[in-house]
Each structure stands twice: as structure tokens, then as C-alpha cells.
């Protein structure tokens, strides 16, 4: 099955700085890599995803990069704001199955 | 559009009492359905998943059970709650394309 590792587990940055969260996966057949943001007391929400046919995708201040050879993908948040503070999860599917395996999460704190 | 409903939002139950958490999905058919637990406020522990009516797979042996009496209804139950069942429970569904997952808002269960 798929194994997803996520680093770091906690990350503190100053407002306006960039934040980077990294994940590695084990199943080379995986073809879809989403990122979720979970605010306190709420369910995770999809914020960006990337398919395996592209190496980078950007949506305003957030971007995701994918290196299929190395089997890792990263979330980049630029110009961080206090409202970016949350737990972020990466995920990868079990090969062609519809079930996602999640990373262990990163608590991002943006300091004002 | 698709929506997922999960209730109740919070629940305080005594040890030894029964549990029933309900999750329903609207706007889609034949979804994969999932129950997760966050015991430490971070990682997503998969408890059960279902690919169809009365088709339930358990990921972790425990004091809980799940049922899917209808295509878009997923129920998490316990006959006798333990203190260790306390946590944040999340229902989720995935569709037919790329395993994109959508989460409910969660249930905060406190066993006292």
C-alpha cells in the first residue's frame, strides 16, 4: 500500500515570509496529490491538488510542486498571513484506488 | 453540487453508553465513504471505509462499528463507549475521479 511521510510536523514563520511543507510517497503508480487545510475544530478542506502529468501548479499565494522521479511533492505558501495558521495535510492515493493515504500533518503558525 | 452532512457537531457521553454518529452525502451516487478519527488533534486515523451498501472494511480493531444502510448514508456506532473513544470524528467521501476527498465538519466526542 501507499506510505506518505510529511515534514516538518510543526512550522513557525513570520508574517510575510514563505512556508514550505514536504511529503514523500512510496507508490510509483500514484497519480494525484492533494493538499488539505484544517482549521481548529473543522474538517479538512482541499486547497490545491496536482496531477502527475504536471510538475507545478499555482493558485495565488499557494503552489504545489511534484517530482515523480524522486516521489516527493511540496506545498509552498508565499506572503504568509495569520489566517494561514492551520494544520496542513498532504495525501496520495492507493495506486488506482479511490482511497487516500494522508501524511501526519504540519501545524503551521504564522506569527504577526 | 455535492454536500456532506455530519452530526452532531459535539457530543458528551458517559462511559458505557451507546454511540451513533451519522453522515450523509448529497448530490452524488455510489460514493466511497470513510470514517476517520483524530485523537491527538493532528493525524487522520482511518477507522472504516465503504465502497457500497453493506460493504464495510475495518482498518483498526476497536470498540466501534460502521454500517451503510443506504448508498449515501454512513453510520458510526458503539454499544459501550470507552474513555479512549474520545476524539474528533470525521466523515469523508471520494468520487470517481482521482480520489478527491471531501470531509464533513466533524464531531467532537468526549467520553466522561
Amino acid at each position: 500500500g501507499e506510505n506518505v511521510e510529511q515534514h516538518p510536523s510543526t512550522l513557525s514563520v513570520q508574517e510575510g515570509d514563505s512556508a514550505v511543507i514536504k511529503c514523500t510517497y512510496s507508490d510509483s503508480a500514484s497519480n494525484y496529490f492533494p493538499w488539505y487545510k484544517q482549521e481548529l475544530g473543522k474538517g479538512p478542506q482541499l486547497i490545491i491538488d496536482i496531477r502527475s502529468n504536471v510538475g507545478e501548479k499555482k493558485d495565488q499565494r499557494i503552489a504545489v510542486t511534484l517530482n515523480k522521479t524522486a516521489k516527493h511533492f511540496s506545498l509552498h505558501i508565499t506572503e504568509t498571513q495569520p489566517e494561514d495558521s492551520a494544520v496542513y495535510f498532504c495525501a496520495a492515493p492507493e495506486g488506482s484506488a479511490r482511497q487516500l493515504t494522508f501524511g501526519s500533518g504540519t501545524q503551521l503558525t504564522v506569527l504577526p | 453540487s455535492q454536500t456532506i452532512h455530519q452530526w452532531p457537531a459535539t457530543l458528551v457521553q458517559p462511559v458505557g453508553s451507546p454511540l451513533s454518529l451519522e453522515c450523509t452525502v448529497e448530490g452524488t451516487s455510489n460514493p466511497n465513504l470513510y470514517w476517520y478519527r483524530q485523537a491527538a488533534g493532528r493525524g487522520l486515523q482511518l477507522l472504516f471505509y465503504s465502497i457500497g451498501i453493506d460493504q464495510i472494511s475495518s482498518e483498526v480493531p476497536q470498540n466501534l462499528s460502521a454500517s451503510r444502510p443506504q448508498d449515501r448514508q454512513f453510520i458510526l456506532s458503539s454499544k459501550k463507549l470507552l474513555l479512549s473513544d474520545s476524539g474528533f470524528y470525521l466523515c469523508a467521501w471520494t468520487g470517481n475521479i482521482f480520489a478527491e476527498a471531501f470531509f464533513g465538519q466533524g464531531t467532537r466526542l468526549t467520553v466522561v
Side-chain angles (χ1 to χ4, degrees), chain B residues 39-87:
Chain B
R42 180 80 63 78
L44 295 165
Q45 180 188 30
L46 179 62
L47 301 176
F48 300 95
Y49 72 93
S50 171
I51 62 172
I53 294 175
D54 294 330
Q55 295 178 280
I56 312 290
S57 295
S58 175
E59 291 294 302
V60 181
Q62 59 218 318
N63 184 42
L64 303 169
S65 63
S67 61
R68 185 170 177 174
Q70 301 180 43
D71 180 47
R72 290 170 290 177
Q73 183 185 27
F74 205 23
I75 298 172
L76 183 68
S77 304
S78 174
K79 293 182 179 179
K80 290 185 178 181
L81 284 169
L82 306 172
L83 287 174
S84 57
D85 291 324
S86 294

Side-chain angles (χ1 to χ4, degrees), chain A:
Chain A
E2 179 69 272
N3 182 43
V4 178
E5 295 189 359
Q6 183 173 344
H7 301 280
S9 58
T10 59
L11 178 61
S12 292
V13 299
Q14 290 295 136
E15 183 176 357
D17 288 350
S18 296
V20 180
I21 303 170
K22 299 181 179 181
C23 288
T24 61
Y25 62 98
S26 60
D27 189 345
S28 57
S30 293
N31 55 7
Y32 170 71
F33 305 93
W35 285 90
Y36 289 81
K37 176 184 180 182
Q38 185 179 26
E39 297 178 343
L40 191 63
K42 297 184 179 180
Q45 297 291 311
L46 177 70
I47 56 171
I48 195 168
D49 55 25
I50 191 167
R51 276 41 168 179
S52 59
N53 58 342
V54 297
E56 183 175 3
K57 182 178 179 181
K58 194 172 182 179
D59 182 4
Q60 299 183 342
R61 294 188 298 107
I62 61 173
V64 57
T65 58
L66 171 64
N67 183 326
K68 286 216 70 178
T69 302
K71 290 191 281 187
H72 66 72
F73 56 111
S74 301
L75 177 70
H76 304 254
I77 306 174
T78 59
E79 300 174 23
T80 54
Q81 301 169 3
E83 53 264 37
D84 294 329
S85 296
V87 178
Y88 291 81
F89 291 97
C90 62
E94 294 276 346
S96 59
R98 291 185 283 169
Q99 180 178 335
L100 289 172
T101 297
F102 287 88
S104 54
T106 297
Q107 174 68 64
L108 173 65
T109 302
V110 180
L111 305 170

Side-chain angles (χ1 to χ4, degrees), chain B:
Chain B
S1 65
Q2 303 91 352
T3 56
I4 179 168
H5 301 281
Q6 183 181 343
W7 68 93
T10 59
L11 190 60
V12 180
Q13 291 284 98
V15 169
S17 65
L19 173 73
S20 181
L21 303 181
E22 190 162 345
C23 173
T24 60
V25 179
E26 297 177 357
T28 188
S29 58
N30 194 32
N32 273 9
L33 295 171
Y34 306 85
W35 279 111
Y36 291 89
R37 178 169 61 195
Q38 281 186 303
R42 180 80 63 78
L44 295 165
Q45 180 188 30
L46 179 62
L47 301 176
F48 300 95
Y49 72 93
S50 171
I51 62 172
I53 294 175
D54 294 330
Q55 295 178 280
I56 312 290
S57 295
S58 175
E59 291 294 302
V60 181
Q62 59 218 318
N63 184 42
L64 303 169
S65 63
S67 61
R68 185 170 177 174
Q70 301 180 43
D71 180 47
R72 290 170 290 177
Q73 183 185 27
F74 205 23
I75 298 172
L76 183 68
S77 304
S78 174
K79 293 182 179 179
K80 290 185 178 181
L81 284 169
L82 306 172
L83 287 174
S84 57
D85 291 324
S86 294
F88 191 53
Y89 289 83
L90 288 158
C91 180
W93 72 274
T94 58
N96 296 311
I97 301 175
F98 286 114
E100 184 172 343
F102 301 92
F103 286 86
Q105 286 301 297
T107 297
R108 172 71 61 190
L109 171 65
T110 304
V111 183
V112 297

